[in-house]
Amino acid sequence: MIYADQAATSFPKPPEVVEAVCEVLRRVPGSPGRSGHRGALAASRVVFEAREELAQFFSLEDESRFVFTSGATEGLNLVIQGVLRPGDVALASAVEHNSVARPLEALCRQGRIRVHYVPCNREGFLDLRALKEMVKTFSPRLICLSHVSNVLGTIQPLEEIVPLKGEALILIDAAQSVGHIDIDLSQLAIDFLAFSGHKGLFSPGGIGALYLRPGVEEILRPLKFGGTGSRSESLEQPDFLPDRFESGTPNLPGIAGLAAGARVVRQIGLKNISSHERLLAETFIELIKKNPKICIYGPKDRTKATGIISVNIEGLPPSEVARRLDREFGVMVRPGLHCAPLAHKTLDTLPQGTVRFSFNYFNRLSEVERAAQALLEIAS
Ligand SMILES: Cc1ncc(COP(=O)(O)O)c(C=O)c1O
């Protein structure tokens, strides 16, 4: 079997991650921040060390800037629902995932905010001139942007985009970039960065984190309220980080897995990861481009993309291509809209979408060659 659906969730998980998850389940008998016995203290240590690992991963000193969430979706919702006020305008790119588009549209439909989409070209890159104009025209409160498109692999140039935000807050959806390319939060004026663990950080599903720039927590309403193990005498939600945004018993095995995965990525090195993924994508494209019936989407310059490649075969629906890849060749990919109808509108691939291959550091060159061969056979 060849697993080429890494953008959905990564597989296999490194042994270090499996071990860290099992270790917590086997040996940590408590809930962090509660009870005070040695098991609870051990649990608190797991959470604290995971936060420290994240700070190191993103070149920050202050680990308290990270709030654990159930994934990118929760982090994005927390910011979108927690920052926007009645009458506000939000901007988002024309390739956003539904995890950004749906919470924005829900607020729009309730008549609370307006949203405008900043155009992207067919390679998925944001139109920077349009962004500048729209910031001037609409004075948005929030700009939402996926760092890497989950359909095309396109990497948005954050160092050019972030300075254009004006007075707006900027929320980066890093679901497809964390663990694939370097993000130095000490160098970029990003207000919020949301990500999941189960993609580029090799953790189990159901765990992620949200980074908050110092000060922004004061304008962010919590999405959920409840027990935190702190200030239990008060019926009011704590006002300090991370407790303000972390009500409820946390996903301790997930947190341990997330930290172990981040450590694995740091040990391999993001340079090695991105260059391997680029080699895989370039090899795949080089092999399939000889067949004119195969349409390849995304950046021509693959230094500006990750290991995600969307394609279509003329005359064949994506679902049929994916089914044949799986049944006849053991190649697992994702067909359709990839929860990103806006991106497919930009690409003009509605309603059927594309066939998405996504490779990561653990895919071998020989797998990519076999996947390309399978696609060529289906197209022939
Ligand atoms: C760009 C993007 N944003 C957000 C998400 C949501 O991530 P999760 O389902 O882990 O919350 C995904 C997942 O596919 C994604 O690709």
Side-chain angles (χ1 to χ4, degrees), residues 71-73 76 97 99 150 173 175-176 196 198-199:
T73 304
L76 295 166
H97 190 275
S99 293
N150 68 311
D173 174 358
Q176 298 290 352
S196 309
H198 67 103
K199 297 176 191 277

Side-chain angles (χ1 to χ4, degrees), residues 193-209:
L193 183 110
F195 57 96
S196 309
H198 67 103
K199 297 176 191 277
L201 296 183
F202 310 127
S203 83
I207 186 69

Side-chain angles (χ1 to χ4, degrees), residues 7-9 70-76 95-100 146-151 173-176 194-199 205-207 308 334 338-339 356:
T9 195
S70 62
T73 304
E74 187 189 336
L76 295 166
V95 293
E96 288 309 303
H97 190 275
N98 275 345
S99 293
V100 166
S146 356
H147 189 187
V148 167
S149 158
N150 68 311
V151 175
D173 174 358
Q176 298 290 352
F195 57 96
S196 309
H198 67 103
K199 297 176 191 277
I207 186 69
I308 296 174
R334 180 167 175 193
H338 319 100
C339 299
R356 183 185 72 183

Side-chain angles (χ1 to χ4, degrees), residues 223-239:
L223 194 58
K224 52 188 188 184
F225 298 78
T228 54
S230 55
R231 305 261 164 94
S232 293
E233 73 288 355
S234 172
L235 296 182
E236 235 180 88
Q237 190 70 7
D239 59 1

Side-chain angles (χ1 to χ4, degrees), residues 91 118 126-135 161 164:
L91 300 182
V118 186
L126 195 72
D127 180 336
L128 298 192
R129 196 177 303 176
L131 173 66
K132 236 186 201 163
E133 277 306 307
M134 290 169 82
V135 167
I161 293 171
L164 304 181

